[in-house]
Amino acid sequence: MKPIYFDNNATTPVAPEVLDAMLPYLKEYYGNPSSMHTFGGQLHKKVEEARARVAELIGADPEEIIFTSCGTESDNTAIAGAVEVSGGKRHIITTRVEHPAVMNFAKHLSRKGYRSTFLPVDSLGRLDMKAFADALDDDTAIVSVMYANNETGVIFPVAEIGSVLRERGIIFHSDAVQAAGKILLNVKELPVDMLSLSGHKIHAPKGIGALYVRKGTRFYPYVIGGHQERGRRAGTENVASIMGLGKACELAKAHIENESAYLSALRDRLENALVKNCPDSRINGDTENRLPNTTNISFEYVEGEAILLRLDEHGICASSGSACSSGSLEPSHVLRAMGVPFTLIHGSIRFSLSRYNTEAEVDKVIELMPALIKDLRALSPFGKKI
Ligand code: PLP
C-alpha cells in the first residue's frame, strides 16, 4: 500500500527528477573528481554545476557552499569551527528548541569546558529577544539559532538577531535545514555567516548536506584529511548525491512560491478541520510565522503514540511529540520549552506536508480523525468522556 505520507519534516521522498539526475553518477560516471585523468576529472565540473544550483537557492556565491554528509555535520562544523577560530572565547549561545544536531553539540562542548546558554522561548515558540540581548558577552564565540523549528514550523527572527551580532562582530550560524527550499532565503540580504542545509528534507537523498559560509568568515574544517572542498571538508565527494542535491535545489527554487501557497492552503485545510471537529485540541506554535508545510496539534486526554498507531493502520504517516515514536523516551523538548502542559505534549501530532500531498489525502485524515480521537479517549484511563 502506498503510504499517505505526512512526515516530510522527518524526511522526504526523493523526487523522480532528482533520481534521474543521480543515476548516471552511480552507473557510468563513477570516477573520482580529484583524479588527473579525464574520466574522473570531468566530474569536477559537474560538482561545480551542482554547487552553483545549491548556492542559487539561497542567493549565495558558489564558492560559499561546502558539501557535507548531512545537516548534522553542517551544524557541528559551523559550531566547532567558530569555537576553533574564536581566539579562546568559550561561550556558545543557542536556544532551548534547537534540533539535537545543535543542542547536543553545545552540550558536548559544555562538558569540555565551554559555556553554553540555551535561550528560552515563549508559549508560541518565539525566541525571547531580551534573553538573547542579555546573554551576549565578550566571551561569546558563536550564536546558533535555527531558521525554523522542525517540530512546530515556527520561524525565528534571523535577520534581527544577525544585525545585532554583526555590530558586535560575533559569528552567527543558523540551522536552515527545515527552512531552505520551503521559504525564500537570500543570504545577500540576511546577516548570517553560516547556514546549514540538508538534502533529504527537500527531496534529495539522505546523507548529503551543505554548509554556507559567507566569504570572509573565519572558518576551520571539522572533517580533516584531504584537500577536497578547497580544504574546508575532507573526504571524496559523494558525487551522485551532490548531483541530486543540486537538482533538488533547482526544483525548489523554481517552484518555491507556488509550492508554498499550495502547501499552506493544504495545511490550513487540515488544521482548521481538525481543530474544529476534534474537541479539546489546539495548535502548538506561532501560526502567524510558520513554515507553510507544518502543523503541530495537541489532542488532550489521548496519547500521541496511540493516534499514530491508529493512523498507521490506515497507511497514514505522521509523528508525535511524545515518547517512543521519536526514538527517545523524553517528551518533546521543544513543546516543554514552550511550557505546553504534559497532557497536551503527550497528545501532540505533527503533520508535515510536501508537494506530493493531495487534497484527497488531507480529506482522508479529516474524515478519520474525529472518530479516532473520540474512540481513543473512550479507551484511555485518562480519557475524558465526550
Ligand atoms: N536540523 C534540523 C532543524 C532538522 O530538522 C534536522 C533533521 O531532522 C537536522 C538538523 C539534521 O539533519 P540530517 O538528518 O541531515 O543530519
Side-chain angles (χ1 to χ4, degrees), residues 302-313:
V302 60
E303 287 291 326
E305 280 79 11
I307 302 173
L308 288 187
L309 289 174
R310 286 288 179 96
L311 287 175
D312 197 47
E313 286 166 12

Side-chain angles (χ1 to χ4, degrees), residues 79 83 90-95 102-119 135 139 142:
I79 300 170
V83 160
R90 303 190 78 74
H91 184 203
I92 297 132
I93 299 178
T94 182
T95 79
V102 167
M103 182 167 275
N104 287 343
F105 198 71
K107 288 183 183 167
H108 160 76
L109 290 178
S110 296
R111 287 190 294 271
K112 288 177 159 293
Y114 291 88
R115 188 162 52 89
S116 298
T117 299
F118 297 93
L119 301 171
D139 196 34
I142 180 169

Side-chain angles (χ1 to χ4, degrees), residues 11 14 36 44 70 74 134 175 214 224 236-237 266 325:
T11 197
V14 172
M36 289 298 287
H44 176 75
C70 58
S74 299
D134 291 348
D175 175 346
R214 184 181 296 281
I224 292 171
T236 301
E237 296 87 343
L266 216 52
S325 58

Side-chain angles (χ1 to χ4, degrees), residues 6 43 62 83 107 110 113 145 169 176 183 202 247 254 299 349 373:
F6 287 121
L43 297 182
V83 160
K107 288 183 183 167
S110 296
V145 174
I183 52 174
I202 54 168
K247 188 56 164 183
F299 302 90
I349 299 288
I373 297 287

Side-chain angles (χ1 to χ4, degrees), residues 40 47 77 111 115 124 133-134 157 171 177 181 212 231 294 322 374:
V47 167
T77 302
R111 287 190 294 271
R115 188 162 52 89
L124 295 181
D134 291 348
I171 295 180
V177 163
Y212 157 79
T294 308
S322 59
K374 191 173 175 188

Side-chain angles (χ1 to χ4, degrees), residues 268-337:
D268 291 349
R269 181 184 179 91
L270 175 67
E271 185 175 85
N272 292 338
L274 293 187
V275 171
K276 179 163 165 267
N277 300 334
C278 303
D280 298 306
S281 59
R282 64 168 238 201
I283 301 162
N284 295 310
D286 180 10
T287 55
E288 299 294 305
N289 217 358
R290 248 186 331 170
L291 293 174
N293 78 320
T294 308
T295 178
N296 187 312
I297 307 176
S298 281
F299 302 90
E300 207 167 8
Y301 315 116
V302 60
E303 287 291 326
E305 280 79 11
I307 302 173
L308 288 187
L309 289 174
R310 286 288 179 96
L311 287 175
D312 197 47
E313 286 166 12
H314 296 273
I316 298 165
C317 310
S319 66
S320 97
S322 59
C324 318
S325 58
S326 53
S328 117
L329 290 172
E330 289 289 308
S332 156
H333 70 285
V334 175
L335 300 183
R336 267 187 300 154

Side-chain angles (χ1 to χ4, degrees), residues 333-351:
H333 70 285
V334 175
L335 300 183
R336 267 187 300 154
M338 288 160 62
V340 176
F342 273 82
T343 52
L344 284 166
I345 296 180
H346 282 295
S348 73
I349 299 288
R350 177 188 70 188
F351 295 95

